[in-house]
Amino acid sequence: MSSPASDFFTNATPSVPTVPFQVNPILGLIVEVVILLLICGHFFIITTLGLYKPWNIADLLLFSLSVADALNAAIPLQMLNVLNNFIGPETWKEASCAVFVILTYTFRIASVCTITLISGDRAILLTRPLQHHVIVTIERARVAVIAIWLFSIFMSILPYIGVGETGYRKGFCFYQLYDFGVAYGYIIESIGIVQLILVLICFIAIKLSSGRFVKRQSTMAASRQTGGKNKQARETAGTRQVKQMSTMMAMVVLLYYISWLPYLVSLSERACESFACSRVCF
């Protein structure tokens, strides 16, 4: 008889989920166009960054983000679209399913963590502008990017080293978090929640600092009303840049939460149901 602890780390859902896709060539063509657009967009970004040197910290982080998203579109999304919409979901093999799952979660986790890193860099730049070049250096940024990718690879192989179970069952490849077991779902959800909180904290810090900066600049500009339009434009250039950064971060946070929060909530509900069911079965 198994223990609740072993059930927590090995059991997935009580039964094999239904097959999520059926062959649909029309849908496959539409998805293929979207995938190609994504690949082309990120390819242009990567090419532009490759021609623009030397890189600063923002360029390095943007390169890491674009590589993760481009590879995610070029390899696992292509595999998913071709096998599910053109060939048939029953043609998945254990090896192809493992490659798909590992690559998918590696690129997705790397993308999410890089976005959080970008948010932190922008927050430090605005809250501590004089110390930013000391706190955030290009060498530290490189180490952080390498650490993110190694962490992403490690998290993606957990179902294959004993935490949960693989997504390949009865000839089909299942790749949602709850298909790998309750433990793996909890781990990835915890990481996602931490990312959401960190991005929100960075946004709040940027918003507060930008508000103080704009107010301080407005006060200084009001006390120096002499001078021509060029001088006034120079005085407000920094204010406009800070406002643009604040607006950009607001959009990032909004899209981030729209993309991930409903997903995490639904996964939490499913994980709770699966865990409750495993306790009852035990």
Side-chain angles (χ1 to χ4, degrees), residues 22-55:
Q22 299 296 332
V23 173
N24 190 338
I26 297 177
L27 177 62
L29 290 174
I30 297 174
V31 173
E32 189 66 26
V33 172
V34 175
I35 291 175
L36 292 176
L37 290 175
L38 290 173
I39 294 174
C40 291
H42 290 295
F43 175 77
F44 288 139
I45 295 175
I46 294 171
T47 303
T48 302
L49 291 173
L51 298 175
Y52 176 76
K53 290 185 178 181
W55 284 356

Side-chain angles (χ1 to χ4, degrees), residues 39-215:
I39 294 174
C40 291
H42 290 295
F43 175 77
F44 288 139
I45 295 175
I46 294 171
T47 303
T48 302
L49 291 173
L51 298 175
Y52 176 76
K53 290 185 178 181
W55 284 356
N56 57 29
I57 296 171
D59 296 331
L60 176 62
L61 298 180
L62 183 59
F63 177 79
S64 175
L65 178 63
S66 296
V67 168
D69 291 340
L71 290 177
N72 183 56
I75 304 177
L77 284 183
Q78 284 283 10
M79 293 177 62
L80 182 66
N81 187 43
V82 171
L83 289 175
N84 282 347
N85 288 322
F86 291 104
I87 301 177
E90 69 280 356
T91 58
W92 284 94
K93 303 299 182 182
E94 186 172 4
S96 61
C97 182
V99 170
F100 168 75
V101 169
I102 291 174
L103 292 181
T104 296
Y105 282 92
T106 295
F107 299 144
R108 289 182 180 180
I109 295 174
S111 177
V112 170
C113 292
T114 303
I115 292 176
T116 304
L117 202 60
I118 293 174
S119 302
D121 173 64
R122 298 296 92 181
I124 296 174
L125 176 62
L126 196 57
T127 57
R128 296 188 176 182
L130 299 180
Q131 294 84 19
H132 177 264
H133 69 285
V134 178
I135 299 174
V136 184
T137 63
I138 191 68
E139 291 77 14
R140 290 178 179 176
R142 290 195 186 100
V143 172
V145 169
I146 294 173
I148 282 175
W149 280 90
L150 293 177
F151 172 75
S152 302
I153 294 172
F154 174 74
M155 295 306 301
S156 66
I157 66 175
L158 284 181
Y160 299 91
I161 58 176
V163 181
E165 62 180 51
T166 65
Y168 185 78
R169 294 190 294 278
K170 294 187 177 182
F172 296 98
C173 184
F174 301 96
Y175 52 88
Q176 299 297 336
L177 284 181
Y178 50 78
D179 296 323
F180 302 113
V182 177
Y184 187 72
Y186 279 168
I187 293 172
I188 299 300
E189 276 199 66
S190 300
I191 295 173
I193 292 172
V194 169
Q195 303 289 329
L196 291 175
I197 294 174
L198 290 176
V199 170
L200 182 60
I201 291 174
C202 291
F203 170 70
I204 294 174
I206 290 175
K207 196 67 177 176
L208 294 175
S209 297
S210 63
R212 289 194 295 266
F213 178 82
V214 171
K215 183 178 180 180

